[in-house]
């Protein structure tokens, strides 16, 4: 059936570990594990090391004589500025300037690019990319079904990668990758992370990823679900598509203009991004600290001091690391200055909050 929920190659492993499973992005994915829970998994990544199944992510390969020209046409960042083995974060925009998806672009060669896209957007993204490619001399391949992926994250990720999996990541700087052969399997290892900590991603066949997962779990590496993946990325101020980014939210509104290289040749949505960067936007993404024992969830109203609605919460939690109730919100730009006092409506009650930096937690990336 077309709408059947997909399973990653590690689905049985999650269930054997007593994971709480939910549908996410069309996949049956673990939220947390019974031997730990979100808080313990979160702290394992902040203080030691954890492993995530991220096999639900999508992978698209773009090759051909005009691959660089094409990727630069659909991508807000500038792939001309990087060498082979480097990675860039950025977005694909629609012609209204909204975000089709945010993604990572791996440069394998001048005319070979590996795009990593969000699970919930795979079909939409691939169709959109292929539609834009019709006038370029490129080949677009959806390789999502050919890759499984794990993310090993935390201050001890590098040591764990070497000790348990025999992969030396010391030569990888932040936002770089390499390819290597592991037991006759071509493997991609990168160093990016989505947690605010040092970490690695390993892309390989299902069989290889299953073996790697088992090795890591056997030596006691904490399995981590999507629950703490969200709390970790949120503390580090990293956006999630569908919350801080969407097809009707622009990167300038989301305070991600640094990833829009307006000095490069034209890219889809550039005219809107340039105009918004020059003139400003009516709304802006901000951080909020809530000065009350109340957690503001996605969609809750943000109010001015007269209790007029000025925006909405995009993500909100009680920070596990900081012990504060914090949130990210998209609000009227007039109220976006740091230190501005606002209010949030949590169910039927209203609580005071203040605008703060979105990066609540200082990341510990190895650069």
């Amino acid at each position: 059936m077309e709408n059947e929920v997909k399973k990653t190659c590690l689905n049985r492993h999650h269930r054997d570990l007593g994971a709480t499973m939910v549908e996410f992005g069309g996949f049956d994915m673990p939220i947390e594990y019974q031997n730990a829970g979100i808080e313990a998994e979160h702290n394992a990544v902040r203080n030691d090391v954890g492993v995530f199944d991220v096999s639900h992510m999508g992978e698209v390969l773009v090759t051909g004589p005009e691959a660089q020209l094409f990727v630069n046409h659909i991508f807000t960042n500038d792939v001309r500025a990087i060498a082979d083995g480097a990675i860039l974060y950025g977005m694909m925009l629609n012609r209204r300037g909204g975000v089709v998806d945010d993604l990572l672009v791996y440069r394998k060669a001048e005319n070979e690019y590996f795009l990593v896209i969000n699970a919930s957007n795979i079909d939409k993204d691939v169709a959109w990319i292929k539609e834009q490619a019709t006038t370029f001399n490129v080949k677009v391949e959806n390789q999502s079904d050919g890759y499984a992926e794990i993310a090993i994250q935390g201050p001890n990720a590098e040591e764990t990668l070497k000790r348990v999996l025999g992969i030396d990541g010391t030569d990888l700087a932040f936002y770089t990758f390499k390819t290597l052969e592991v037991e006759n399997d071509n493997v991609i290892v990168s160093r990016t992370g989505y947690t605010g900590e040092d970490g690695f991603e390993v892309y390989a066949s299902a069989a290889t990823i299953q073996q790697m997962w088992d090795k890591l779990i056997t030596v006691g590496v904490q399995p981590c679900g999507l629950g703490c993946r969200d709390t970790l990325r949120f503390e580090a101020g990293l956006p999630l598509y569908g919350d801080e980014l969407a097809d009707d939210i622009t990167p300038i509104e989301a305070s991600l203009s640094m990833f829009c290289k307006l000095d490069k040749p034209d890219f889809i949505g550039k005219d809107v991004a340039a105009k918004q960067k020059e003139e400003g936007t009516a709304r802006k993404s901000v951080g909020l600290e809530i000065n009350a024992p109340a957690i503001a969830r996605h969609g809750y109203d943000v109010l001015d001091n007269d209790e007029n609605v000025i925006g909405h919460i995009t993500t909100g939690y009680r920070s596990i690391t900081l012990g504060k109730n914090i949130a990210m919100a998209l609000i009227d730009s007039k109220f976006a200055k740091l230190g501005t006092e606002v209010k949030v409506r949590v169910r039927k009650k209203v609580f005071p909050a203040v605008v703060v930096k979105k990066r609540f937690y200082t990341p510990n990336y190895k650069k």
Side-chain angles (χ1 to χ4, degrees), residues 92-103:
M92 299 185 294
L93 307 184
N94 57 42
R95 300 193 185 278
R96 303 182 308 279
V99 179
V100 175
D101 204 359
D102 64 331
L103 67 156

Side-chain angles (χ1 to χ4, degrees), residues 201-215:
E201 300 76 40
V202 182
Y203 304 80
S205 69
T208 296
I209 291 298
Q210 287 172 332
Q211 292 173 3
M212 289 182 173
W213 177 273
D214 286 341
K215 288 179 181 179

